[in-house]
Amino acid sequence: MNNIKLKLILQIFLFATWTLGGCEKSVSNDDNTVVVTPTIATLKNKTTTFFVGVATSTPKLAIINYTQLIEREFESITAEYQMKMDVILPTKGIYNWSKADEIVNYSITKGLRVHGHALIWHESTPVWLVDYKGTDAEFELEVKNYITAVVTRYKDKVTSWDVVNEGVADAGGALRNTIFKQRMGDDYMVKCFKWAREADPNCKLFYNDYGFETNISKQNKIFDLILDWKNRNIPINGLGFQMHINYLTSKSQMQDAITKAVGTGLLIHISELDIRMNPNNDISSFTTERSTAQQLKYKEVVSMYNAIPLANKFGITLWGVKDDDSWLLKFHNNYNEWPLLFDSTFKAKKAHTGFLEGIN
Ligand code: XIL
């Protein structure tokens, strides 16, 4: 049977399920999860003006429960850590492309886009580069060669990159005092953007950071930098809001920051979304009340994003598939948390319904 016939049969089947299902989007269960009907109530089917992505890693891409869910719901992949510098270039001069290649090849095979994360991040700088004994000029050349090698290898495959991640400090409205700033000077980010652009004239280049929706001194510094870069025609295309938020994060502050970002004319990526439901560690099981609060918060964020002009839209990426995989558990010493759209058994939570409601 050829592909067209197969597709036709599939479409008839999907239409029948949809009709028989009374066009229901989702059905609530007692355990705070929902049943997702594949025809309409998936994230990627519902969003037409921006993509929905997810962060993941290679061992998971060999597990059918993950791949089925990813391929049903998402249209973009970000490597959660395997495309960072200490994985790709752990030893001076010796590139290890295996994990990054696996992620990129899987994505391309499945028709998923890839968002590259992240060329420069102080937290993932390999030890050999942190301890670099050469001159500043030699250090800079190592960084240039790295960016050139990575962006060139994935040219036309990885269509967007976080060029610098978290370059601004949490306090004092200043640049973060990283090894890159120390060795390459205050304009180091500009150099990185230029090298990335030289390696790939078409990919979208992002500055990515966290917490600046509520941290105003950080926010001001980020927008000052962006304004300066735009005035100097530095090749930046987009701004990433990581958005590791919680259910109490101020709506009006998030709205203000997004409105400011719209004003820059850049693409806006909500690049690492998760919503903590136990930031004060006051619950030990996921209550119905918190589950509903999470639904509302996801709806709030998505509808805010959905309302921005088309010219600024890019995508929303979730930082992980299911609750028990979240980086937050380890980061906050294994407390109880349920920040994502799917529970530990791969079932969609009310948060998933909230996401879909945000698009209406
Ligand atoms: C985190 C990953 O989730 C972890 O698995 C890894 O050990 C460390 O990095 N901001 C970022 C992401 O930009 O790259 C971080 O990801 C989470 C915070």
Side-chain angles (χ1 to χ4, degrees):
M1 196 171 345
N2 66 30
N3 274 349
I4 301 177
K5 273 190 200 154
L6 252 176
K7 225 176 150 182
L8 194 68
I9 291 171
L10 186 70
Q11 273 171 356
I12 293 169
F13 171 75
L14 290 179
F15 182 71
T17 352
W18 181 65
T19 319
L20 292 172
C23 314
E24 275 300 303
K25 279 183 231 152
S26 56
V27 183
S28 277
N29 286 337
D30 291 343
D31 61 352
N32 291 327
T33 61
V34 289
V35 178
V36 176
T37 54
T39 44
I40 34 176
T42 70
L43 305 172
K44 72 171 181 192
N45 287 353
K46 202 67 187 187
T47 47
T48 51
T49 55
F50 61 90
F51 70 76
V52 188
V54 70
T56 191
S57 55
T58 57
K60 294 185 180 122
L61 294 178
I63 300 170
I64 187 118
N65 285 337
Y66 278 100
T67 52
Q68 272 178 351
L69 194 153
I70 288 172
E71 290 158 31
R72 186 188 81 201
E73 298 277 350
F74 298 101
E75 13 187 15
S76 175
I77 296 282
T78 302
E80 186 170 350
Y81 57 88
Q82 292 167 326
M83 290 175 79
K84 292 170 182 167
M85 194 177 192
D86 55 353
V87 179
I88 293 183
L89 193 54
T91 312
K92 179 173 154 56
I94 303 175
Y95 284 84
N96 184 349
W97 301 107
S98 60
K99 302 281 190 290
D101 278 359
E102 252 183 80
I103 292 176
V104 173
N105 292 339
Y106 164 82
S107 306
I108 303 284
T109 310
K110 298 296 175 183
L112 299 159
R113 66 181 306 293
V114 188
H115 178 72
H117 174 82
L119 295 172
I120 296 298
W121 184 33
H122 62 286
E123 291 277 345
S124 62
T125 314
V127 176
W128 70 267
L129 193 59
V130 175
D131 295 343
Y132 198 68
K133 297 289 179 288
T135 64
D136 289 350
E138 286 163 344
F139 179 98
E140 185 166 318
L141 190 59
E142 300 283 2
V143 177
K144 179 181 182 189
N145 288 343
Y146 175 75
I147 291 179
T148 306
V150 178
V151 177
T152 303
R153 184 177 185 90
Y154 297 118
K155 188 170 173 296
D156 302 325
K157 291 183 173 170
V158 174
T159 48
S160 52
W161 276 102
D162 289 332
V163 177
V164 180
N165 191 29
E166 303 180 358
V168 172
D170 288 334
L175 292 180
R176 188 184 289 277
N177 189 20
T178 65
I179 192 80
F180 301 99
K181 175 182 176 310
Q182 291 163 19
R183 291 295 211 129
M184 292 162 59
D186 282 2
D187 227 17
Y188 80 91
M189 296 200 239
V190 164
K191 294 175 185 173
C192 297
F193 275 98
K194 286 184 180 167
W195 295 327
R197 176 55 75 234
E198 279 164 24
D200 184 346
N202 299 318
C203 69
K204 305 287 184 213
L205 304 178
F206 282 75
Y207 175 76
N208 194 54
D209 216 324
Y210 69 88
F212 64 103
E213 53 283 348
T214 52
N215 179 336
I216 303 304
S217 71
K218 190 171 186 177
Q219 183 183 107
N220 288 338
K221 180 64 181 176
I222 290 173
F223 284 111
D224 285 352
L225 284 170
I226 285 172
L227 192 67
D228 175 47
W229 296 344
K230 292 211 75 173
N231 286 337
R232 293 161 62 196
N233 283 324
I234 308 306
I236 177 172
N237 305 102
L239 176 61
F241 286 81
Q242 292 185 9
M243 287 270 203
H244 297 293
I245 58 171
N246 67 70
Y247 74 112
L248 302 168
T249 303
S250 153
K251 179 183 179 185
S252 67
Q253 285 193 314
M254 286 194 287
Q255 183 64 68
D256 286 352
I258 288 187
T259 304
K260 238 171 140 177
V262 165
T264 65
L266 292 175
L267 295 169
I268 301 172
H269 185 197
I270 294 187
S271 55
E272 306 183 13
L273 181 61
D274 46 32
I275 304 184
R276 292 173 68 191
M277 299 312 296
N278 195 17
N280 302 319
N281 212 353
D282 58 354
I283 49 171
S284 54
S285 66
F286 196 39
T287 61
T288 302
E289 179 247 329
R290 286 288 159 92
S291 164
T292 306
Q294 190 172 45
Q295 175 175 356
L296 292 175
K297 204 67 184 174
Y298 267 103
K299 180 179 176 183
E300 186 179 294
V301 171
V302 174
S303 56
M304 210 179 278
Y305 187 83
N306 197 35
I308 67 174
L310 195 56
N312 300 95
K313 278 187 181 170
F314 187 66
I316 300 182
T317 299
L318 277 300
W319 207 244
V321 173
K322 58 191 185 76
D323 284 342
D324 57 336
D325 297 327
S326 171
W327 73 294
L328 291 164
L329 303 180
K330 215 162 143 201
F331 192 74
H332 295 286
N333 297 320
N334 292 316
Y335 78 132
N336 293 308
E337 189 50 88
W338 306 267
L340 294 167
L341 300 184
F342 298 90
D343 76 3
S344 59
T345 66
F346 294 91
K347 275 199 208 151
K349 296 159 58 192
K350 285 183 187 169
H352 180 274
T353 308
F355 194 112
L356 296 174
E357 288 168 346
I359 300 159
N360 287 331

